[in-house]
Amino acid sequence: ETGVTQSPTHLIKTRGQQVTLRCSSQSGHNTVSWYQQALGQGPQFIFQYYREEENGRGNFPPRFSGLQFPNYSSELNVNALELDDSALYLCASSSPGQGTYEQYFGPGTRLTVT
Amino acid sequence: AQSVTQLDSQVPVFEEAPVELRCNYSSSVSVYLFWYVQYPNQGLQLLLKYLSGSTLVKSINGFEAEFNKSQTSFHLRKPSVHISDTAEYFCAVRMKTSYDKVIFGPGTSLSVIP
């Protein structure tokens, strides 16, 4: 069984640029959630995708967008990067139908905006 | 709206001593409760969860947590800590009526001193 994987591991971007982060969900999971974890803080929910549709969103501006593909992998896109976007971005997969309510997290992508 | 409070940002404890990490939550609806652990430069791992039934839940590595509905608390305890328990610990809640959105607390950094 393959766990949740994310790429790239680290990324450095300049303010105003755009970035795409990728996540492969755990085998059998059809739901992907994205979180932003600033240094020294707990993860903050960005949004969730279920069967290729966004079905929940946290308090993040529209420049944060995403996609989910038929194989349930997902992308997080951030436009017009700001310095405060520097954080660890975590992807988590789950399968609500299993009734375990567990989310399985990937190792994260560390984004630095300069 | 839901929120999670972890009053202790840092907890130093000597090896083999007991520890308690405190978690309180606020919610207008019923929630599921979780504790996650994050080792340096890694993603989050589920430590234990409370969904229903017995209010005392235990992990395979000696941690336990007790759900107290009247005090809206879900404190994490371990009778004897090891060096390997040094990590960041996050308490989290998920609404029973919502999609798979998880609200995390700010985290408690546990440092085990040899």
Side-chain angles (χ1 to χ4, degrees):
Chain A
E1 184 177 89
T2 305
V4 179
T5 60
Q6 292 185 243
S7 62
T9 305
H10 296 88
L11 202 54
I12 300 175
K13 289 286 189 177
T14 302
R15 189 172 49 184
Q17 287 186 316
Q18 178 265 342
V19 68
T20 297
L21 311 181
R22 295 177 175 81
C23 170
S24 291
S25 60
Q26 183 163 311
S27 176
H29 288 181
N30 56 16
T31 301
V32 173
S33 303
W34 285 92
Y35 293 83
Q36 180 195 67
Q37 186 180 16
L39 197 62
Q41 298 182 23
Q44 300 291 317
F45 176 79
I46 303 175
F47 46 56
Q48 178 180 95
Y49 278 82
Y50 171 67
R51 293 185 176 180
E52 303 178 56
E53 298 277 338
E54 181 182 300
N55 75 333
R57 189 178 185 92
N59 189 27
F60 280 81
R63 58 188 186 84
F64 285 78
S65 63
L67 286 172
Q68 187 179 32
F69 301 99
N71 66 354
Y72 304 130
S73 66
S74 176
E75 286 183 355
L76 164 65
N77 299 290
V78 186
N79 294 321
L81 284 167
E82 300 176 0
L83 296 179
D84 285 348
D85 295 333
S86 294
L88 181 67
Y89 287 85
L90 296 165
C91 163
S93 74
S94 58
S95 185
Q98 293 179 352
T100 61
Y101 304 103
E102 289 183 34
Q103 292 189 340
Y104 293 81
F105 284 81
T109 294
R110 173 74 63 186
L111 173 64
T112 302
V113 182
T114 61
Chain B
Q2 291 70 39
S3 66
V4 179
T5 303
Q6 294 179 250
L7 290 176
D8 306 306
S9 60
Q10 295 183 339
V11 174
V13 61
F14 286 104
E15 193 174 14
E16 298 184 2
V19 68
E20 178 180 79
L21 306 184
R22 295 180 292 170
C23 171
N24 289 87
Y25 69 92
S26 172
S27 177
S28 56
V29 299
S30 295
V31 296
Y32 300 116
L33 296 156
F34 305 85
W35 275 99
Y36 284 86
V37 59
Q38 186 176 35
Y39 298 101
N41 300 314
Q42 294 187 28
L44 279 74
Q45 300 174 27
L46 180 66
L47 190 59
L48 44 73
K49 63 184 178 184
Y50 172 78
L51 302 182
S52 65
S54 173
T55 57
L56 182 66
V57 291
K58 299 183 179 184
S59 72
I60 59 173
N61 57 353
F63 283 95
E64 63 179 36
E66 186 158 21
F67 169 56
N68 187 318
K69 188 174 182 179
S70 62
Q71 297 185 6
T72 60
S73 67
F74 191 54
H75 301 331
L76 181 69
R77 302 182 183 92
K78 190 171 186 181
S80 176
V81 295
H82 302 288
I83 296 291
S84 60
D85 293 325
T86 295
E88 192 81 17
Y89 291 80
F90 294 96
C91 182
V93 301
R94 175 183 175 252
M95 293 181 286
K96 289 186 177 182
T97 58
S98 176
Y99 51 85
D100 206 12
K101 172 183 176 180
V102 179
I103 306 296
F104 287 87
T108 295
S109 177
L110 174 64
S111 297
V112 180
I113 306 165

